[in-house]
Amino acid sequence: MTRVAPDPPVRPRRGGRASYDRGVTLPQTAQAPEATPHDATALGVLRRVFGYDSFRGDQAEIVDHVCGGGDALVLMPTGGGKSLCYQIPALVRDGVGVVISPLIALMQDQVDALTALGVRAGFLNSTQDMTQRRAVEAAFVSGELDLLYLAPERLRVEPTLRLLERGTISLFAIDEAHCVAQWGHDFRPDYLALSQLHERWPDVPRIALTATATPATHTEIATRLNLTDARHFVASFDRPNIQYRIAPKNEPRRQLIELLRTEHPGDAGIVYCLSRSSVEKTAEFLVAQGVAALPYHAGLDAAVRSRNQSQFLREDAVVMVATIAFGMGIDKPDVRFVAHLDLPKSVEGYYQETGRAGRDGLPSTAWLAYGLADVVQQRKMINESEGDLAHRRRLAQHLDAMLALCETVECRRVRLLDYFGQQGEPCGNCDTCLSPPASWDGTVAAQKVLSTVLRLDRERGQKFGAGQIVDILVGKRTAKVEQFDHHTLSVFGVGADLGEGEWRGVVRQLMAKGLLAVEGNYQTFVLTEASRPVLRGENQIMFRRDPERQARTRSRGERAPQVEMAPEAAPVFERLRAWRGAAAKEQGVPAYVIFHDATMREIATLMPTTLAELGTVSGVGENKLAKYGQGVLDTLSGGDVAD
Ligand code: ADP
Ligand code: ZN
C-alpha cells in the first residue's frame, strides 16, 4: 500500500466537534500554558497528552521500535503500562491505530478516557446502530481518528476489511493477545484469523500485548499470530504493591467480612467465587453486612450485568462479587483488594485475577481462602471434564501448580515469578514472608492416613470422606464409625497425637501432592501410584504447618497503607474526591477517567495555585488541564465545586 505524506502527528484540532453520539468523540483543542504544541516526538506526546514525565520500564524502547515500523510482542503485568505502548506510536505515526480488543463492553470507557486526554478515538462493534457506525467509518476514512477499536470478529467480515483498506493505518495493536492461546480459558477462535493481517497489510507494524504468559503461552502467541520477526519485550511480572496471602479456609464468608472490615473498609474490590449460586449468596451476605456489594456472573441478564459493571467502575467503594466471567480488561486503577473464596484452576488465572488489584501502584491485597474441599472439588471437576486424556492431564498440571503455590512454605512471590520463568528474592510482602510457616516431617502421618484409606477402600460400595478418616485416626467412636466397625481397625486411634484440624491439613496436602485421589461421584478417597513408595517408607514427606489462625499481616484496624500524604492534605483530597465524583456524574464517565487517586494525592500535597503549577503534576496533560484545571483550583481554594 502506498502511504500519503505524513501529517503532523496529534494534529492541531480545528474548532470543537463535540460528538457523534456513540462511538466517536472528537475532543476540543486545549491550550495548556506548559505545552510545547508541536513537539511530535514520543516523549513530547507522553508529556503533553498524558501528562507523564518519563517512560517506564521498557515503554520507551517498545514505543521507539513500533514508531519505527517494527512488530512487537509485549508481555507486561497488569498495570505495567501496556496501553501507552500502542497509543503513543498511533499518535506519532501517520494514520489511524487499529486496536483489536475482545472487550466490547469496555470500548466506550476506553474511548471516553482517550477523549478526556484529547485523543480522537472511536470504536466499531455490535452495540452501535447503523448511523453511529457510519459516522465512525467516515471519521476513519477521512483520517479524523487517532485510534479505532475493533472487536476481533469484525475483521472476519469482508466489509470491515474493505473499510480498513480505504483509510491509512498506522499500526495494529492486538490487545489481550493470550486469547489466541488454545488452552487458556479466554480462548477466542476469532483471534486465529488475526494472523492474516500481515498478508493484507505487510507494511503496517503489529504489536501484540498480554499480561498472561508462561513461556509456553508466549511461544504460542508468537506462532499463532505469525509474529515471526517481532521483537519480544518481556517485563518483570512482579507486582510489588500487591500483598499475596493464602489463608486456610474455615468459615470463608466470616473471614472475608473480617478482611473487608479490618483492612479495606470503604474500598473497591473484587471477590471471586466458583459458582453462580455462591456469587449470589456471597453478595447477599455482604449486603446484609452493610457492604455495597453487587453480583456478576454469566447467568445474569445482560442489562443487569452491564449496570453492575458500570456501577463498579463509576462509584468509589463498590465490591463486585463475581465468577471469572468478570474482569478481563477492567482497568479501574483503584481496586484495593481481590479476594478468592474458591481455588483458581491455574496460576495463570490466579495471577491475572489478582493482577486487577492496585493498577495504580498503591498498596493492595490479594487474598485467597483455600481448604481440603477445594482440592477435592477441583480434582473431581477435572475427572468429569469433557475432552481427551491429554486435555485432562493439562488441566491437572495447571491445578498441581496452583496447589504447590498454596502449600509452599517459601515466598509466594518467588514461586509466582518462578512460574513465569522469572527470578525473585523473598519479598517481605506476602504471608509466608511476613509470618513464615514451619514445615514438618509428615512421613509417618502420611502413612497413617494412607493405610486408613487402604483399609476403607476394601469395603466395597461404601463412601467415606475425610471426616471418617479423621474420626478413625483420632479414635472417635461416632455412630458411623460403629456402624462400619471402624473402631476395630488397627489404625483406630493411632493419630491421637494430632488434632482434627491438623489431620484435615494432612489429608489436604496428600491430595495436593497427588498421593491421594478421589473416585466416583462422592468424596471417596483412593490411593494413587505415588502412594505406594510412601507406604513402604521409601519417600520422606514434608508438610506445611498451617498457622493456628489466619495469619494477619496487618494488625487489627490498620488499613492497607496508602501513598504518603501529609495529614493536612487528607481533607483536601476528600474535597477533590467530591469534586471529581460530581464532575464524573455530570459527564457520565468513571471518576478515574477525570483523574486517578495518585494524581489527586499529589495535587492535595502540592496545593498548586496556578494552572501552570497544576500542569506539573503527573497525570495532568494539556487537555485535562484545560478542561478541569479551573475546577481543581477552585476546589483547592475552597470555592464552589465547578466543572
Ligand atoms: P496495563 O494495560 O498494562 O494494565 P495501563 O496501560 O492501564 O496498564 O497502565 C497502568 C497505569 O499506569 C495507568 O494508570 C497509566 O496511566 C499509568 N502509566 C502508564 N505508563 C505510565 C508512565 N510512563 N508514567 C506514569 N504513569 C503511567
Ligand atoms: Zn514473599
Side-chain angles (χ1 to χ4, degrees), residues 598-617:
T599 300
M600 297 212 307
R601 278 170 200 279
E602 205 180 315
I603 296 174
T605 306
L606 183 72
M607 291 296 280
T609 51
T610 63
L611 285 175
E613 223 183 323
L614 178 60
T616 64
V617 173

Side-chain angles (χ1 to χ4, degrees), residues 434-466:
L434 291 163
S435 38
S439 62
W440 58 290
D441 184 338
T443 312
V444 174
Q447 287 169 341
K448 287 176 181 172
V449 171
L450 296 178
S451 26
T452 306
V453 170
L454 194 65
R455 284 171 174 81
L456 293 183
D457 197 22
R458 294 195 175 132
E459 301 190 35
R460 289 200 199 124
Q462 290 304 331
K463 289 148 185 112
F464 301 112

